Amino acid sequence: MLARLRRVPFAAQVLLALVLGIALGLVAREIGPVADGSPNWLTSTLQTIGGSFVTLLKALVPPLIVTAVIVSIANLQQVSNAARLAGQTLLWFALTALIAVAIGIGLGLLTEPGRNSSVDAATATDPATTGGWWDFLTGLVPGNILGLQASAGSDGSIGLSFNVLQLIVISVAIGIAILKVGSAAEPFLNLTRSALAVVQKVLWWVILLAPIGTVGLIGNAVASYGWSSLGSLGVFAGAVYAGLALVLFVVYPVLLRAHGLSPLRWFAGAWPAIQLAFVSRSSIGTLPVTERVTEQNLGVPRSYASFAVPLGATTKMDGCAAIYPALSAIFVAQFFGIDLAITDYLLIALVSVIGSAATAGVTGAVVMLTLTLSTLGLPLAGVGLLLAIDPILDMGRTAVNVAGQALVPTIVAKREGILDLERYNATSTVDPLAAADEHGGVDADLRRPATV
């Protein structure tokens, strides 16, 4: 039985888990809460399974960001025309973000989600986490070398957390310093590469649990939200997913076709990463899978992919930082009866392009949304209107984020003549968990049929 399960492709495992999660979620919702209003045993079980999976992913985010960003920048010394490749990557990040935000604005004006909503205004509360330009800029300055922040709990306890933006700044600075120091930094770089391999190995073990985590995450979402929350925000949710679908299934294929690449082959190669992003809701947690499919299925050279994909995982957010904040800003403005001028729409586009790093590849997009609202002078309390369905929307947003992180390196590699077209056009693709590689893949003994 175990041997047969291991032979099932990873993408198929996640898809089966998705179906099972929806079924269990519907059963849990049918059972309903217990007498005191708390979740029933099935909902609690699904919540625990899904929450534990996300917690494991989050635990590995800090060491993964630090080692991946340092190594990706240091790897530029192995790439000819490194500056040109980096510039082209950032340019295409910005161009695709502009297209995505334009779609978001267009759908917002077309569907008018704020005027076609039955959400209760009483749910409009100020968010616990906000973002402003000064907060964003000052947040870039590391308070310490580990990017640690301390916060006091209501019970007097002190909690420690990592500031992802500060970790990125620290890692970028160290990576550039390695390039400048040269040979003297090789021992440190080798140590960092080893640490990255170890972290990715542990992360691969967590990713092996993705099908189980999928059952919990999807099941809990269905049990907790169902159709009631979606009903009051149905137009908004529909507009968000319509925008995500347009970007993923129209804009990206058009860009690929314009560069002489088959969209079907791209989807076949990138789909395992897109699928995992949908259920995990974490670009950083999906990073090893995204990097592997970009290299092995899409034919992007490892020397370039190891720079572009980690950079994209922290800054390339067409879903969270383009479509979603654009639609949300229009929703909030319409809900509170505030008219937006053409300059406001231009500001939305500007914030989406240069503020993407505020999302930092972690679950959720509240910081980016509050950054957009504060820039436009819109009520931050509007965030509270949308929080009820945020996890459901975040699945689609993260899937589009990761798709863009695989798309841009593919396009840039094709434009620069370094894309392995034979590998890209191959009729067979590599299952992300099917073979080991030297930078943290799954060992062969994990996929070898078991002897019973």
Side-chain angles (χ1 to χ4, degrees):
M1 181 68 181
L2 183 59
R4 292 178 180 175
L5 180 61
R6 285 172 176 170
R7 285 196 290 266
V8 176
F10 177 67
Q13 293 182 34
V14 176
L15 183 60
L16 290 172
L18 184 66
V19 174
L20 179 59
I22 292 174
L24 291 176
L26 291 173
V27 172
R29 190 162 186 82
E30 188 65 27
I31 295 175
V34 297
D36 60 356
S38 59
N40 59 60
W41 67 270
L42 182 54
T43 302
S44 298
T45 301
L46 293 170
Q47 193 174 56
T48 301
I49 293 173
S52 299
F53 177 67
V54 173
T55 300
L56 286 172
L57 285 176
K58 286 184 175 180
L60 293 168
V61 164
L64 182 63
I65 286 178
V66 172
T67 54
V69 173
I70 290 175
V71 171
S72 66
I73 292 177
N75 282 344
L76 286 176
Q77 64 188 344
Q78 305 171 10
V79 183
S80 58
N81 298 323
R84 177 180 172 83
L85 279 174
Q88 285 285 312
T89 302
L90 294 174
L91 175 62
W92 278 95
F93 280 179
L95 287 176
T96 49
L98 274 175
I99 296 172
V101 75
I103 289 175
I105 292 173
L107 285 171
L109 295 175
L110 180 66
T111 61
E112 297 188 332
R115 296 191 179 98
N116 295 290
S117 169
S118 60
V119 66
D120 187 355
T123 60
T125 56
D126 288 331
T129 304
T130 61
W133 282 110
W134 281 117
D135 297 324
F136 175 62
L137 294 174
T138 56
L140 293 173
V141 181
N144 53 75
I145 192 63
L146 297 177
L148 279 172
Q149 288 185 326
S151 58
S154 57
D155 57 354
S157 60
I158 301 296
L160 294 177
S161 61
F162 287 95
N163 184 307
V164 177
L165 283 176
Q166 292 182 8
L167 282 177
I168 294 172
V169 171
I170 293 168
S171 304
V172 169
I174 294 175
I176 294 174
I178 289 174
L179 291 177
K180 295 295 184 181
V181 171
S183 59
E186 281 300 318
F188 178 79
L189 179 56
N190 290 333
L191 176 63
T192 306
R193 286 194 174 115
S194 297
L196 175 59
V198 171
V199 171
Q200 285 190 321
K201 174 65 72 175
V202 176
L203 184 56
W204 274 111
W205 292 340
V206 175
I207 290 174
L208 282 170
L209 302 175
I212 299 174
T214 298
V215 173
L217 290 168
I218 300 298
N220 180 56
V222 172
S224 300
Y225 304 105
W227 300 110
S228 56
S229 297
L230 279 175
S232 61
L233 290 166
V235 175
F236 175 76
V240 170
Y241 268 94
L244 296 173
L246 282 173
V247 170
L248 182 59
F249 298 115
V250 178
V251 174
Y252 288 174
V254 167
L255 291 174
L256 289 164
R257 182 64 68 186
H259 288 86
L261 297 172
S262 167
L264 290 178
R265 295 310 314 149
W266 182 83
F267 275 110
W271 194 252
I274 296 172
Q275 188 174 245
L276 179 60
F278 181 83
V279 297
S280 69
R281 298 169 50 208
S282 172
S283 295
I284 291 291
T286 312
L287 173 59
V289 178
T290 310
E291 190 169 345
R292 170 172 284 193
V293 299
T294 302
E295 296 169 5
Q296 298 191 7
N297 290 346
L298 302 180
V300 178
R302 175 170 297 175
S303 57
Y304 169 53
S306 63
F307 161 75
V309 176
L311 178 66
T314 54
T315 60
K316 177 59 178 165
M317 306 285 167
D318 285 346
C320 290
I323 297 172
Y324 179 71
L327 270 166
S328 299
I330 293 173
F331 171 88
V332 172
Q334 292 173 348
F335 187 86
F336 288 101
I338 301 172
D339 293 326
L340 296 178
I342 185 65
T343 53
D344 294 317
Y345 295 114
L346 292 176
L347 272 177
I348 291 175
L350 179 65
V351 172
S352 299
V353 174
I354 67 177
S356 296
T359 56
V362 293
T363 302
V366 173
V367 172
M368 184 64 197
L369 175 54
T370 57
L371 179 64
T372 305
L373 295 181
S374 62
T375 301
L376 297 174
L378 295 174
L380 292 181
V383 177
L385 300 169
L386 307 175
L387 289 179
I389 60 171
D390 188 73
I392 297 175
L393 300 180
D394 197 33
M395 295 175 185
R397 293 191 313 239
T398 309
V400 172
N401 291 345
V402 168
Q405 293 155 20
L407 174 88
V408 170
T410 305
I411 289 178
V412 173
K414 177 62 166 61
R415 291 174 64 88
E416 296 299 313
I418 59 175
L419 186 69
D420 186 344
L421 291 175
E422 183 178 352
R423 177 174 292 184
Y424 182 94
N425 293 316
T427 56
S428 61
T429 56
V430 176
D431 189 322
L433 301 184
D437 62 21
E438 62 269 25
H439 64 287
V442 178
D443 289 335
D445 59 352
L446 288 178
R447 55 188 172 82
R448 185 179 299 130
T451 55
V452 181

